[in-house]
Amino acid sequence: MPSSLEKAESCVFWRQAEDALKRCITLEEIDAWFENVCVLDYREELIILGVPSGYRREYVEKNYRGLLANIFSSLLNRQIDVEIRLTSPMNEKADFEEISVITNPGKKPIMQLFEPLQYEPLNESYTFDNFVIGGCNKMAHAAAEAVAKAPAQSYNPLFIYGGVGLGKTHLLQAIGNAIKTSIHSNKQVAYLSAEQFVNIFIDAIKRNERLSFQAAFRNVDVLLIDDIQFLAGKESTQEEFFHTFNALHNKQKQIVISSDRPPKDIPTIEDRLRSRFEWGLIVDIVPPDFELRMAILRQKCEHVDPPIPDNVLEFIASKIRSSIRELEGALAKITAHAQFTNEDLDLEIAGKVLGEIYDRGGKEISIEKIQRKVAEHFNIKPADIIGKNRSRSIARPRQIAMYLSRKLTRHSFPEIGTFFGNKDHTTVLFACNKIEKEMEGDSKLRSIVQDLSDSFSM
């Protein structure tokens, strides 16, 4: 292969890679970080990309190099490494000057563009009054109420962790709603997910308004951040959030954070940020016991017509053990069926309505089990699946295991990545998209994946 590309050929090659990128990351990310990126050179096992500014070069290197290597390896059907270079050293200064601009002529000031509450307003239905308390969440509820009554005086930060659908978001928004209707109603409350924080940060960089982004988030009185584990692996955003955290804490502003795991277990997050999370109070929420699940169901169906029999509620509570969100979803499904069909609900009808989703009786599929099953099918070791070997005989089973982990479990892309040797979430997303697309035209692959998937329901 020639050591350098003609300009037209390099443009076509990059467009192919960009099309693959669009299936793995958001258009906002592509606009922010890959504008004016080009292929400078490519060799037998190396692609050299040119990035027009120093800050973007550093960010792409840290956050997307692995994904780009996967994409180019797939396009060329062999192992490819990627090197990120600055197109022109002169752009270093220009990039720094652009990032330092607070507002651009003719544009709305960043303080208005990135007002946090415009992005995710508080849901007024989330209050402390309708939060059902039990042994699994009593401590978290008490701590949240204390914070709402005296922001920045009780526990700062307050870190709440627990599995999906257990009430973390309810408590965070209940804190915000309680503050806005109390003697502290003049305080500025900002609630948003960590994913939104990342996206807004990227947008600020795209608009060259990073300093104004900082001013917007470092001047709130109460910052409520949901699903902080989404920051795992995003080094530049972690850096930004670290300084935001320090600025707010130093001014005695309240910070409340939720996660699906305790700080010590969040992968690929900076130690200094982890230590900040551990400064205050850390409380957990565990899956509800049978009595609490029944209490939640009874509260939710107090005003349901026709009423749901107790034995049906007990059936739901016995089948769904790990998620309050699923519990409420099952009740909604049963209620809708009763209202639309006018049938008298009994256990037989309830079983048919809920269907095979709950037939496993609460049995959950673990990612470790998926890895073992896939490794066994392809006659390789489970350690190979989570290792770094990128040969096709290992990479294909690994991608299938990632796809099945996304399909058969409730884990997010970043969470799945941690089970595969701390792979970045973009690598998992790429694998899932690749397997899904290839199954459309490859009946053998489709059969393998379907057989593996079916084996978990036996």
Side-chain angles (χ1 to χ4, degrees), residues 30-227:
I30 290 174
D31 289 344
W33 303 114
F34 293 97
E35 186 178 9
N36 296 324
V37 170
C38 61
V39 177
L40 294 179
D41 195 7
Y42 80 109
R43 300 156 192 175
E44 198 63 32
E45 297 181 349
L46 178 68
I47 300 287
I48 301 174
L49 295 181
V51 180
S53 66
Y55 183 81
R56 293 188 186 192
R57 188 206 68 78
E58 180 185 353
Y59 193 90
V60 170
E61 172 78 27
K62 288 181 177 179
N63 295 280
Y64 299 107
R65 183 182 172 192
L67 174 61
L68 290 166
N70 282 337
I71 287 173
F72 285 120
S73 298
S74 178
L75 287 174
L76 296 173
N77 201 27
R78 65 175 180 276
Q79 188 62 45
I80 295 292
D81 196 8
V82 173
E83 182 179 320
I84 313 293
R85 291 184 184 176
L86 185 64
T87 306
S88 170
M90 294 297 292
N91 285 334
E92 290 275 12
K93 181 178 179 183
D95 186 51
F96 177 80
E97 291 172 348
E98 287 175 355
I99 292 172
S100 300
V101 176
I102 294 182
T103 55
N104 286 335
K107 287 187 177 180
K108 190 177 181 182
I110 194 78
M111 285 292 288
Q112 297 175 40
L113 276 171
F114 296 121
E115 175 66 40
L117 294 181
Q118 291 180 3
Y119 285 83
E120 188 156 343
L122 292 168
N123 185 336
E124 294 181 358
S125 67
Y126 287 136
T127 67
F128 289 121
D129 290 339
N130 61 20
F131 186 86
V132 183
I133 306 169
C136 66
N137 58 27
K138 187 175 182 180
M139 183 67 177
H141 175 270
E145 271 200 321
V147 163
K149 290 175 181 176
Q153 295 179 34
S154 301
Y155 312 109
N156 197 22
L158 173 60
F159 191 101
I160 303 172
Y161 73 91
V164 175
L166 295 182
K168 302 185 299 295
T169 296
H170 189 139
L171 284 180
L172 258 67
Q173 296 212 34
I175 291 171
N177 284 320
I179 289 173
K180 292 176 73 66
T181 56
S182 70
I183 59 173
H184 305 293
S185 59
N186 63 324
K187 292 188 180 295
Q188 185 179 4
V189 178
Y191 167 80
L192 70 164
S193 67
E195 181 178 8
Q196 287 175 302
F197 187 90
V198 171
N199 291 337
I200 296 171
F201 176 59
I202 290 172
D203 205 10
I205 298 300
K206 178 183 174 183
R207 297 172 184 271
N208 300 318
E209 294 174 328
R210 186 179 182 186
L211 294 182
S212 298
F213 165 88
Q214 295 169 352
F217 280 97
R218 297 179 190 183
N219 286 287
V220 299
D221 297 300
V222 180
L223 180 62
L224 310 169
I225 294 284
D226 220 346
D227 293 324

Side-chain angles (χ1 to χ4, degrees), residues 189-447:
V189 178
Y191 167 80
L192 70 164
S193 67
E195 181 178 8
Q196 287 175 302
F197 187 90
V198 171
N199 291 337
I200 296 171
F201 176 59
I202 290 172
D203 205 10
I205 298 300
K206 178 183 174 183
R207 297 172 184 271
N208 300 318
E209 294 174 328
R210 186 179 182 186
L211 294 182
S212 298
F213 165 88
Q214 295 169 352
F217 280 97
R218 297 179 190 183
N219 286 287
V220 299
D221 297 300
V222 180
L223 180 62
L224 310 169
I225 294 284
D226 220 346
D227 293 324
I228 198 68
Q229 73 275 1
F230 189 80
L231 295 189
K234 299 174 176 63
E235 296 181 16
S236 295
T237 311
Q238 286 183 36
E239 172 87 13
E240 187 62 46
F241 188 76
F242 172 79
H243 293 298
T244 298
F245 183 104
N246 283 346
L248 292 174
H249 199 274
N250 290 340
K251 290 189 288 187
Q252 295 186 318
K253 306 298 183 182
Q254 179 68 54
I255 304 165
V256 184
I257 298 166
S258 84
S259 174
D260 63 353
R261 65 197 70 188
K264 65 182 178 65
D265 292 339
I266 302 176
T268 58
I269 199 164
E270 293 183 5
D271 287 339
R272 60 178 182 170
L273 194 54
R274 196 189 316 273
S275 72
R276 295 302 190 278
F277 296 161
E278 295 172 344
W279 274 359
L281 178 66
I282 300 174
V283 292
D284 68 332
I285 302 178
V286 298
D289 57 24
F290 179 81
E291 288 74 20
L292 183 57
R293 296 198 297 274
M294 283 296 295
I296 292 169
L297 291 172
R298 285 182 174 135
Q299 184 207 59
K300 293 293 180 183
C301 65
E302 277 180 354
H303 305 293
V304 170
D305 187 28
I308 310 296
D310 263 6
N311 63 343
V312 172
L313 296 181
E314 290 171 0
F315 171 76
I316 298 173
S318 67
K319 289 293 183 182
I320 304 169
R321 304 172 184 176
S322 60
S323 171
I324 295 172
R325 193 174 298 154
E326 279 194 20
L327 202 66
E328 293 173 345
L331 179 62
K333 193 171 184 180
I334 289 282
T335 302
H337 178 85
Q339 292 173 341
F340 294 146
T341 65
N342 292 320
E343 289 182 338
D344 293 330
L345 282 174
D346 56 25
L347 288 178
E348 183 180 357
I349 292 175
K352 289 179 180 177
V353 170
L354 294 184
E356 60 185 22
I357 297 173
Y358 307 111
D359 283 347
R360 292 173 182 162
K363 188 189 300 181
E364 294 188 1
I365 301 171
S366 69
I367 290 179
E368 292 92 342
K369 187 174 181 180
I370 292 172
Q371 291 170 339
R372 289 195 299 270
K373 183 80 74 171
V374 172
E376 180 183 342
H377 178 88
F378 286 96
N379 198 27
I380 60 177
K381 298 176 182 177
D384 294 330
I385 287 195
I386 63 176
K388 296 182 178 180
N389 188 328
R390 295 167 70 177
S391 64
R392 182 174 175 82
S393 62
I394 301 298
R396 171 53 63 91
R398 182 185 297 132
Q399 290 171 341
I400 291 173
M402 288 179 175
Y403 172 82
L404 289 172
S405 296
R406 181 60 176 171
K407 178 183 176 183
L408 300 177
T409 76
R410 300 187 186 93
H411 289 287
S412 64
F413 289 119
E415 291 167 354
I416 293 170
T418 65
F419 286 90
F420 287 83
N422 284 328
K423 298 288 192 300
D424 188 79
H425 77 283
T426 55
T427 301
V428 181
L429 180 58
F430 176 82
C432 293
N433 287 339
K434 180 179 174 65
I435 294 300
E436 188 169 341
K437 184 177 180 181
E438 290 186 4
M439 283 196 300
E440 294 175 2
D442 187 337
S443 59
K444 183 178 179 181
L445 174 62
R446 187 166 60 250
S447 177

